[in-house]
Amino acid sequence: MKIMEANKAYLAVILIQSIYAGMFLLSKAAFDLGMNTFVFVFYRQAAAAVFLIPLAAAFEWKNAPPLSFVTLCKIFFLSLFGITFSLNIYGVALIYTSASLAAATTNCIPIITFFIALLFGMEMVRLRTSGGIAKVAGLAICLVGVTIIAFYRGPTLKLLVHHHLLGSYHNTIQQHGQVASNSHTTWIKGCFLMLMANIFWGLWLVLQVPVIKSYPSKLVLTALQCLFSAIQSFLIAVALERDPNQWKLEWNVRLLAVVYCGVVVTGVTFYLQAWVIEKKGPVFLAMSQPLAFAFTIFSSAFLFGETISLGSVLGAMVLVGGLYSVLWGKNREHKVEDGICLTTKTPAAEIESSGSNSKEAIVEATKTVPVCIMV
């Protein structure tokens, strides 16, 4: 039974990361074919809200705690900074860079989240322990990885695929010259924006903790955040995009990207991630994140003919190393905090029955008191 549960968990994380890979690819395709990023974010969040609100009303609304005005304001600003700003900045960054880079930089999110939690006093680092040293080393390694991705391109790597599955897409991009990553300055700007988007996302993860404590209905909370984010994204899109043609959705990759990111990414992965965390814990889920980069880098080359630079691959590998260093450090500290209490049988009864009150007997008895061995 445990083996079956473990296999289901492995299949779930593979599905989750493949869904995220699809998000990177479809978003990049929609943007490169001319869809406005701000309009896309509005449609995506609107689709997510339409999908989640009926589910929240059906399964959690009756049992949900009362929603105060203060909590509603917290959810509004949580949506603004964590979702609306993050997704809109991410969309602009994706135009300047590539789907592979977007997948690679997601490995920064657990480390960024840890650093923000450290600033808010939710995490702590013990520099005299191996776990604390691993955490600090992971942060440093992450910075090195981001620097490599941003400032070192290196030679391009091409898979042995000459006929791309979406050849028309590849030709359209080449004709219109929309591969912004060819410019070194634009690439650095995109990396900076991608890092900003990940910082906002990490801030959202940290700030959710007090909000969830005050309002524990997770499905209702997620639906409200999507609703607020859709309204906020609409106001941003209306202010920055006045062309009516940009708001039209036809039966093409734009509509597919909106529905996929709004329904599948927000709806399906929400349930799958909650199930995996419940069964295997958050560390297990975090350690599967590099799979999204592997899926994306292969799919983008095979489907779109996207060239991959050596710097992106090396930087992503360094980021993965930093991620695992931080996760190992956290796991190590959890073991130290929990401890493994080893108990042995105390011969106190023997001492008492013999009537011995000698100092030597008391010392021998205290040696057998349960000792917490830190590992």
Side-chain angles (χ1 to χ4, degrees):
M1 191 67 181
K2 290 184 178 180
I3 296 177
M4 290 183 62
E5 288 291 333
N7 291 336
K8 288 180 180 178
Y10 286 121
L11 290 175
V13 295
I14 291 173
L15 181 58
I16 289 169
Q17 301 306 334
S18 62
I19 288 174
Y20 279 127
M23 178 189 71
F24 299 134
L25 294 169
L26 286 175
S27 300
K28 178 64 174 175
F31 297 156
D32 283 343
L33 289 176
M35 187 172 189
N36 182 273
T37 59
F38 307 109
V39 175
F40 172 81
V41 172
F42 159 67
Y43 278 132
R44 169 184 172 170
Q45 292 308 106
V50 170
F51 178 74
L52 289 175
I53 288 175
L55 294 178
F59 295 105
E60 281 193 4
W61 185 254
K62 292 182 180 179
N63 300 322
L67 189 63
S68 65
F69 178 75
V70 175
T71 303
L72 197 65
C73 290
K74 289 181 180 178
I75 297 174
F76 178 85
F77 286 107
L78 186 65
S79 305
L80 178 64
F81 290 103
I83 300 178
T84 304
F85 286 173
S86 176
L87 290 180
N88 279 284
I89 294 173
Y90 161 82
V92 177
L94 196 56
I95 292 179
Y96 292 157
T97 56
S98 65
S100 301
L101 176 76
T105 54
T106 55
N107 296 302
C108 287
I109 293 176
I111 302 172
I112 291 172
T113 305
F114 163 75
F115 184 73
I116 295 173
L118 186 67
L119 295 178
F120 279 85
M122 298 179 182
E123 286 278 355
M124 58 188 304
V125 175
R126 299 179 179 90
L127 294 177
R128 296 183 179 180
T129 64
S130 58
I133 294 173
K135 285 182 177 181
V136 175
L139 292 173
I141 293 170
C142 177
L143 291 176
V144 172
V146 172
T147 304
I148 292 174
I149 291 176
F151 296 103
Y152 175 69
R153 298 297 300 278
T156 57
L157 308 175
K158 293 185 179 181
L159 297 180
L160 298 176
V161 180
H162 302 288
H163 301 284
H164 308 293
L165 188 60
L166 298 181
S168 59
Y169 164 83
H170 182 69
N171 293 335
T172 302
I173 300 305
Q174 293 295 333
Q175 291 171 2
H176 292 279
Q178 293 176 352
V179 183
S181 58
N182 287 339
S183 170
H184 186 66
T185 304
T186 303
W187 179 267
I188 295 175
K189 187 189 300 183
C191 292
F192 175 73
L193 291 174
M194 194 70 73
L195 183 61
M196 278 187 61
N198 289 333
I199 290 174
F200 275 115
W201 192 258
L203 183 65
W204 174 71
L205 293 174
V206 172
L207 294 180
Q208 272 194 104
V209 175
V211 177
I212 290 176
K213 286 182 179 179
S214 61
Y215 196 78
S217 297
K218 298 180 181 64
L219 190 56
V220 176
L221 177 63
T222 304
L224 286 174
Q225 288 187 79
C226 289
L227 177 62
F228 284 141
S229 179
I231 296 171
Q232 295 159 357
S233 300
F234 174 75
L235 296 177
I236 294 174
V238 167
L240 298 178
E241 181 54 66
R242 303 296 180 87
D243 185 5
N245 294 323
Q246 286 290 342
W247 293 82
K248 294 179 181 179
L249 287 178
E250 301 176 353
W251 293 98
N252 53 26
V253 70
R254 296 187 183 189
L255 179 61
L256 178 61
V258 166
V259 174
Y260 182 88
C261 293
V263 176
V264 180
V265 175
T266 305
V268 176
T269 56
F270 172 80
Y271 174 80
L272 287 176
Q273 287 179 134
W275 184 85
V276 170
I277 291 172
E278 181 184 5
K279 297 295 182 182
K280 303 290 288 185
V283 175
F284 179 81
L285 180 62
M287 291 184 71
S288 69
Q289 279 194 303
L291 287 175
F293 173 69
F295 293 151
T296 305
I297 197 172
F298 176 79
S299 300
S300 60
F302 180 71
L303 297 176
F304 303 147
E306 183 180 285
T307 57
I308 302 159
S309 66
L310 179 62
S312 297
V313 176
L314 291 177
M317 293 173 65
V318 173
L319 285 176
V320 171
L323 168 65
Y324 284 156
S325 179
V326 172
L327 292 176
W328 184 88
K330 283 184 64 65
N331 190 44
R332 180 75 177 178
E333 286 189 346
H334 281 313
K335 287 183 178 180
V336 171
E337 289 171 1
D338 295 339
I340 300 177
C341 292
L342 303 177
T343 61
T344 58
K345 187 176 180 179
T346 305
E350 298 176 9
I351 297 173
E352 185 177 349
S353 62
S354 63
S356 174
N357 292 322
S358 66
K359 183 177 180 180
E360 291 79 12
I362 295 173
V363 171
E364 288 298 319
T366 56
K367 288 181 180 179
T368 60
V369 173
V371 179
C372 189
I373 306 297
M374 302 299 181
V375 294

